[in-house]
Amino acid sequence: MTSTPWERLPADLAGALRPRLPDAVRDIAGAVGEMNPASGAKFERDVHTAVRVALDRFADLAGTGEPALPPRIREVFVALGAAEARENRGPESLLATLRTAARMLLRTASQSLAEVRPVTVDEIIDLSDATSAYVDELAAACTDGLARQLREQAGEGDRRRRQVADLLLRGGAPPDVAREAALGIGWPSLEAVVPVLLPLDQARDARFRFGGDGIVVERGRDAVLLLRSGPRAERAALAEALAGRDAVVGPALGWPEVPEAVRLAERTAELAGTGPDPVFADDHFAALALRGESGALAVLSARRLAPLAGLRAGQRDQLLVTLESWLRHWGSRTAVAAELFVHPQTVSYRLNRLRDLLGDDLDDPRARFELSLVLAYRPSI
């Protein structure tokens, strides 16, 4: 039993193989290029170098018990694997390439011997064993390089995500700095962010569950998931994804307001507690506002009055005065007209306009209460 498969190779293989190496390098590198047509010129150069180094080394190994790849040669293939990872190509294409190279190497070595003398079946078997074992060593080196690069990229990715989390949670970041940092973690835009408070033991699962859409920050007492706006941040999706996880979902606010959104989630947790179903801060703004939480009142005002935001200031103020009076007088147009010193038909016109803008909110008890609250605390017109 010999120590290496290539120790059993015939001594005359190297002499027979070397004249054919330039053509073999060209053919194998060309076949690899055809398998990866979009890889670019640098990949082609790297592959050509790697194939030349690999074939030279295989010829040197014939009849020896040396290890397949000394450090300087192994590093060529470690670097090739790392380059594949940097180009976001996984190991599948790399291993397929090596399998193709192994078949072509076996054919080249067999034909080289056959040109100088007859080749026995045992020699073909030994050649097959040696080429397979040798290419396994090449694959191990490439995979090692790919894994190293992925670990390095993961570490860099974690650092960038921590940077984005710090910018958002601290607040006050210049817009260009925040957006560039967000782009660095794969967020093409930085708009609304939804904070979710979670128990610490849910942090790891949240990282896996939300992937690139969220950033998880562990704070000692709990964890905060910062989720970018999108389908996965919609209420229905969150209600399903966070079921049974004792989560509190803060409001979706613009990225500069993330500290306020997190604080409102914390106040909601203090007010409503947690349970198996996620608690949404949106459901508790009125209660928070009545407890003196100005941030909750500001968000509630912005949302309830958003349909009127596009009106001219004078028209908007007229409608809001009318709406406040109408809510206070339980829908009595006569009382509203008397209070505002306008004709009842004017009240009817304004209410029709309000119904066009606010829709079913005028008939929803909760919405009417929140509108009353918003208007009661609204600065005087």
Side-chain angles (χ1 to χ4, degrees):
M1 193 77 165
T2 56
S3 58
T4 63
W6 37 88
E7 192 169 355
R8 299 194 301 270
L9 295 180
D12 57 349
L13 174 62
L17 182 58
R18 286 202 178 279
R20 295 175 59 97
L21 288 185
D23 289 341
V25 169
R26 184 197 62 228
D27 293 343
I28 294 175
V32 171
E34 291 176 2
M35 294 175 63
N36 302 272
S39 298
K42 183 181 183 304
F43 176 80
E44 292 179 5
R45 291 194 302 270
D46 290 345
V47 166
H48 190 278
T49 299
V51 171
R52 177 177 54 75
V53 169
L55 295 189
D56 280 343
R57 179 57 183 167
F58 185 76
D60 290 341
L61 284 174
T64 76
E66 296 177 8
L69 303 175
R72 65 179 179 82
I73 292 179
R74 190 175 192 277
E75 197 55 37
V76 171
F77 295 91
V78 169
L80 185 62
E84 287 291 277
R86 286 192 294 271
E87 295 297 324
N88 293 319
R89 290 190 289 267
E92 296 82 6
S93 62
L94 191 58
L95 295 178
T97 295
L98 288 169
R99 286 193 293 269
T100 297
R103 291 194 297 270
M104 296 182 73
L105 174 58
L106 175 59
R107 184 180 304 113
T108 299
S110 302
Q111 290 173 344
S112 298
L113 273 179
E115 286 182 357
V116 297
R117 63 169 175 81
V119 181
T120 68
V121 172
D122 287 342
E123 287 176 327
I124 293 295
I125 294 173
D126 288 341
L127 270 173
S128 179
D129 289 344
T131 54
S132 296
Y134 180 63
V135 172
D136 284 347
E137 294 285 345
L138 299 180
C142 290
T143 303
D144 184 27
L146 187 143
R148 285 190 207 173
Q149 183 64 33
L150 289 178
R151 286 195 298 269
E152 182 178 331
Q153 290 176 185
E156 175 62 14
D158 288 342
R159 186 195 67 77
R160 291 183 178 184
R161 296 169 81 79
R162 287 194 298 269
Q163 179 189 23
V164 174
D166 184 57
L167 290 172
L168 294 178
L169 290 172
R170 190 175 61 226
D176 56 340
V177 172
R179 291 194 173 95
E180 183 178 352
L183 193 62
I185 64 169
W187 289 11
S189 62
L190 186 56
E191 298 172 358
V193 175
V194 178
V196 181
L197 306 184
L198 292 163
L200 272 175
D201 61 5
Q202 294 291 332
R204 182 176 180 180
D205 178 79
R207 287 190 183 94
F208 174 79
R209 184 177 295 269
F210 291 96
D213 290 321
I215 309 168
V216 179
V217 181
E218 297 183 31
R219 304 194 297 178
R221 64 186 184 279
D222 63 6
V224 181
L225 165 66
L226 300 175
L227 195 60
R228 65 172 173 170
S229 60
R232 303 188 71 187
E234 299 293 335
R235 178 165 181 146
L238 287 174
E240 180 179 356
L242 298 173
R245 301 181 187 280
D246 297 324
V248 178
V249 182
L253 299 182
W255 67 265
E257 301 173 279
V258 165
E260 180 66 12
V262 172
R263 197 178 68 80
L264 289 174
E266 292 169 342
R267 298 292 84 80
T268 300
E270 294 171 2
L271 174 68
T274 60
D277 294 328
V279 176
F280 288 85
D282 287 0
D283 297 337
H284 300 277
F285 282 148
L288 290 171
L290 289 170
R291 290 169 178 254
E293 188 60 59
S294 60
L297 181 62
V299 175
L300 190 61
S301 298
R303 293 186 178 179
R304 283 299 177 197
L305 303 182
L308 286 76
L311 302 177
R312 297 191 309 272
Q315 184 182 19
R316 182 172 182 270
D317 290 344
Q318 270 189 348
L319 291 178
L320 290 178
V321 167
T322 303
L323 176 60
E324 183 178 10
S325 179
W326 184 77
L327 290 169
R328 187 168 57 252
H329 291 293
W330 295 90
S332 171
R333 300 189 184 205
T334 303
V336 172
E339 180 179 3
L340 300 184
F341 302 102
V342 297
H343 195 280
Q345 287 184 347
T346 301
V347 175
S348 296
Y349 169 78
R350 292 180 184 176
L351 288 173
N352 287 336
R353 183 75 176 111
L354 284 166
R355 191 167 292 280
D356 289 340
L357 294 167
L358 299 175
D360 293 339
D361 283 355
L362 291 184
D363 301 316
D364 181 80
R366 176 174 175 172
R368 288 162 64 112
F369 173 73
E370 291 182 349
L371 283 167
S372 297
L373 182 63
V374 164
L375 293 170
Y377 285 93
R378 184 172 177 266
S380 58
I381 299 170

